[in-house]
Amino acid sequence: MEIKVKAFLLIFLISLNILTFSFAENSSTNESRPVITNIEVKAVSSTEILLNWTFDSNNSTAKEIYVYRKTEAFTSSKSLENLSPIAILPLSENHYKDKVNDYKNYYYAVIIQTTENTPYNVILPSVNTNTKGVSVSLPTIPLKIGEKEQLEEKNYKNGELRSQPLPYLSDETLETRYKKSTSISVSEETSNLENKSNNIPAEYITEAYIFDEDKTSPASGDSYLLYSTLEKTFMKKNYKKAISDLERFLNVNRSLETTDRAYFYLGECHYFMGNYKTSLSCFLKVEDKYPILCKRWITSVLSLYNIPEQTGSNE
């Protein structure tokens, strides 16, 4: 019995030594792994995306830092196949600023090139590659009409009259809000504005306005569908195709927020296509929702397009 106990203890001690050695070896290997960590990716301007990361530059197996970029997420080492780095940096660098000329969602992977001149192609989501695409924001168009006004809704004190938007829209239910015909919305709602617009110098707006909600891709829902529609045509300034896509989008019941934005974009498309009468109609539909934004576009439309005198016809 005593011999069996001694034999058991001997086997246990040998096993323990083997495990301890194996753990120490693995720990040493992990510590020397040349892997970028704590990657952060964000847009810092309308043309630049900034990457930040952490890495021990004293790692003896590391030689250089390779930065890769794709329009799809990096999921494994296969994602790096047939890709060339967009930048090769020294180990002392912990950031990189990428310049882009479009509004696509971009994904980045930061990989270490080892002293053996082979990349350590280990992809760790949220560690050395971003899991959510990042795109630059469209430049903001400053408001030039009137005083500097904020886009947020104004809070009125008790007894203070609400300032009348331009032009005035009569009360109507949500069901009829978007069903007003083009001829009625243009001729009736703007007939009182013709004389006012005659003295306004023509100001042609050259850049489209994009709402903040549509500058990055939402996860799902109507906002995602609207973003996809804009990305394919509107953001590429293919306004003719954008008109048909937005009209198709609006033919389906959508949330009120996305419907409002879609009509605003539709108005911009018609504006840039020179369809001022239709453009005006679209802006009138959402003028009550976006009074400051619509005021600028409506004023520009009225100064560029002379509304014909009414002859009694339905045109």
Side-chain angles (χ1 to χ4, degrees), residues 36-41 51-54 108-110 124-131:
I36 294 290
T37 59
N38 301 322
I39 190 170
E40 293 182 355
V41 182
L51 288 71
N52 289 298
W53 60 80
T54 302
Y108 296 86
V110 184
L124 301 173
S126 299
V127 177
N128 64 349
T129 180
N130 56 311
T131 57

Side-chain angles (χ1 to χ4, degrees), residues 178 211 214 222 225-227 229-230 234 242-243 245-252 254-270 282-283 285-286 290:
Y178 300 113
F211 292 94
D214 302 313
D222 288 344
L225 295 176
L226 178 58
Y227 173 84
T229 301
L230 297 173
F234 185 85
I243 289 173
D245 288 351
L246 285 168
E247 288 177 343
R248 189 180 306 111
F249 176 86
L250 289 166
N251 281 337
V252 180
R254 307 290 184 185
S255 66
L256 182 58
E257 291 293 331
T258 54
T259 299
D260 285 336
R261 299 202 304 274
Y263 267 114
F264 188 90
Y265 293 130
L266 189 59
E268 290 186 285
C269 290
H270 282 294
C282 293
F283 289 129
K285 292 178 186 293
V286 293
Y290 310 116

Side-chain angles (χ1 to χ4, degrees), residues 275-286:
N275 307 327
Y276 298 126
K277 185 175 182 179
T278 309
S279 172
L280 183 58
S281 177
C282 293
F283 289 129
L284 288 173
K285 292 178 186 293
V286 293

